[in-house]
Amino acid sequence: MDFIGEDGWPAPRLKEVKFPDSAAVLDKVYLDVVATVRRMFQDCKLVHGDLSEYNILCHDNQIFIIDVSQAVEHQHPQSLDFLRRDIVNINSFFRGKGHKALLTAKEFFDATTSLDVAKYGATHDDIVAKLQTWEDKRLNRHVKEEVKDEDRLFLEAGKTNSAATVGAKGGKNPDVVKDGEGSDDDEDYDEEYDNEPIDAEEREKRSRAQ
């Protein structure tokens, strides 16, 4: 374990950072967070579960996610619900900072869970570079309140889908059962599709279709 800071002083939390009046700087930090969440999901197979501006450190133009002891693996019954909450927390913070080039929560979710490396990248720098190409799309398409509403609806839709799926599975507690639990869809690989890996979005689509 390494100390993150300088001269005995810990690096500031994202909440404490004084951002310059620069949309480019704010966007770079935002995309750094998105890329780190994707790498945590894809490489470490983890969802933080309590991600916010209070447990992200900024040091030497890099961000570091801390307090990961409560992080959950993909197999956790509520991993995707926790991911949705993490995403909405991050978008809410940057929205409060006046950042206008936000991904919607759905786009953030897809950028985290998708197996499409060609579209989203694999390394940190590659992920950031690919998302930067969306800047005009992010700026021109979204109005602040529209993105906020999309975030809320996406979070609520996830809860509704989980509850509906649980009801179809026999009335288990919707707070502790995720989409597709108890079926083959709960695995990272699907025999019906020749053991091709499937991402979280595809699992949810198949769950809703059942």
Side-chain angles (χ1 to χ4, degrees):
M1 182 182 298
D2 294 329
F3 175 75
I4 303 174
E6 188 172 353
D7 296 331
W9 292 94
R13 296 175 297 176
L14 191 60
K15 175 73 173 178
E16 301 163 340
V17 173
K18 303 296 184 183
F19 291 102
D21 188 15
S22 167
V25 170
L26 197 60
D27 193 51
K28 176 61 166 61
V29 177
Y30 175 66
L31 295 182
D32 277 341
V33 174
V34 176
T36 304
V37 171
R38 174 173 170 81
R39 290 186 61 213
M40 189 172 177
F41 188 91
Q42 299 289 342
D43 300 341
C44 304
K45 312 301 182 186
L46 292 174
V47 173
H48 189 284
D50 191 31
L51 190 62
S52 74
E53 62 271 25
Y54 292 96
N55 43 39
I56 299 176
L57 303 182
C58 294
H59 182 62
D60 286 343
N61 296 317
Q62 298 181 67
I63 65 105
F64 299 85
I65 292 179
I66 61 172
D67 298 338
V68 295
S69 59
Q70 81 288 334
V72 300
E73 297 182 341
H74 292 180
Q75 292 84 0
H76 189 281
Q78 289 182 283
S79 61
L80 298 184
D81 290 332
F82 291 158
L83 177 60
R84 290 186 184 94
R85 186 173 64 188
D86 286 351
I87 287 169
V88 171
N89 286 346
I90 295 304
N91 271 3
S92 295
F93 171 76
F94 281 94
R95 184 181 302 111
K97 291 294 182 181
H99 190 40
K100 294 179 170 46
L102 294 171
L103 298 168
T104 65
K106 179 63 165 58
E107 289 171 335
F108 196 152
F109 183 90
D110 290 345
T112 300
T113 62
S114 175
L115 297 171
D116 189 349
V117 175
K119 181 176 182 179
Y120 294 107
T123 67
H124 185 95
D125 290 344
D126 192 26
I127 297 165
V128 170
K130 288 181 180 298
L131 293 177
Q132 281 176 331
T133 66
W134 299 12
E135 184 175 10
D136 288 343
K137 177 182 178 182
R138 290 184 282 132
L139 281 170
N140 295 333
R141 185 186 55 193
H142 299 315
V143 176
K144 183 177 179 180
E145 290 303 316
E146 290 177 350
V147 178
K148 184 177 179 179
D149 287 343
E150 285 192 38
D151 285 357
R152 176 180 55 80
L153 291 171
F154 179 70
L155 189 61
E156 291 177 355
K159 292 178 180 178
T160 301
N161 184 53
S162 293
T165 303
V166 169
K169 298 294 181 183
K172 294 182 181 179
N173 186 347
D175 290 332
V176 296
V177 182
K178 75 174 178 182
D179 302 346
E181 179 172 306
S183 72
D184 290 339
D185 286 343
D186 199 33
E187 301 297 329
D188 288 337
Y189 293 85
D190 193 336
E191 292 181 359
E192 181 181 353
Y193 290 83
D194 299 323
N195 288 329
E196 287 295 322
I198 58 173
D199 59 20
E201 181 182 14
E202 180 63 22
R203 287 201 300 270
E204 288 198 317
K205 286 180 180 178
R206 294 181 192 179
S207 177
R208 286 195 294 269
Q210 291 178 347

